[in-house]
Amino acid sequence: MFARVITAQAEPHGLDGVIEVFGQQLPGARQQPGFNGFFLLTDAETGKVIIISLWQTREQMPAGIRHQAVPVTWLTPPDLETYEVTLHG
């Protein structure tokens, strides 16, 4: 299993919008082959956002981030990383 980890910084007034947009994307993600789960972590005090999506294989992960889904004014440019899940409880 593989994890796509995206980190970004939301503007203080934009965090609710980020949560709403990613919540709207979740049903579509569930339709993707190999999709195993999705977490949206937020820190209301700092505005930090961490998005973790889990995939069966690296090849099944989406090639990139849909930048157009989240208005640029809400988030700093995201940092994208991929990890192999070596232990899952």
Side-chain angles (χ1 to χ4, degrees):
M1 183 169 21
F2 289 84
R4 165 77 39 86
V5 180
I6 301 167
T7 56
Q9 190 71 35
E11 293 185 8
H13 63 278
L15 196 55
D16 288 339
V18 171
I19 295 167
E20 181 179 341
V21 168
F22 282 100
Q24 292 170 358
Q25 290 185 347
L26 187 54
R30 288 183 176 134
Q31 302 294 323
Q32 302 261 344
F35 179 77
N36 276 347
F38 180 91
F39 298 92
L40 174 61
L41 311 174
T42 60
D43 184 328
E45 290 183 21
T46 66
K48 186 171 183 176
V49 177
I50 302 173
I51 301 126
I52 303 170
S53 58
L54 301 172
W55 303 87
Q56 278 295 334
T57 68
R58 185 183 299 267
E59 294 75 27
Q60 290 172 316
M61 292 176 149
I65 306 169
R66 295 185 184 142
H67 296 286
Q68 67 274 17
V70 181
V72 176
T73 58
W74 289 355
L75 290 176
T76 60
D79 182 36
L80 174 91
E81 298 175 294
T82 300
Y83 296 91
E84 184 170 5
V85 179
T86 53
L87 185 61
H88 180 255

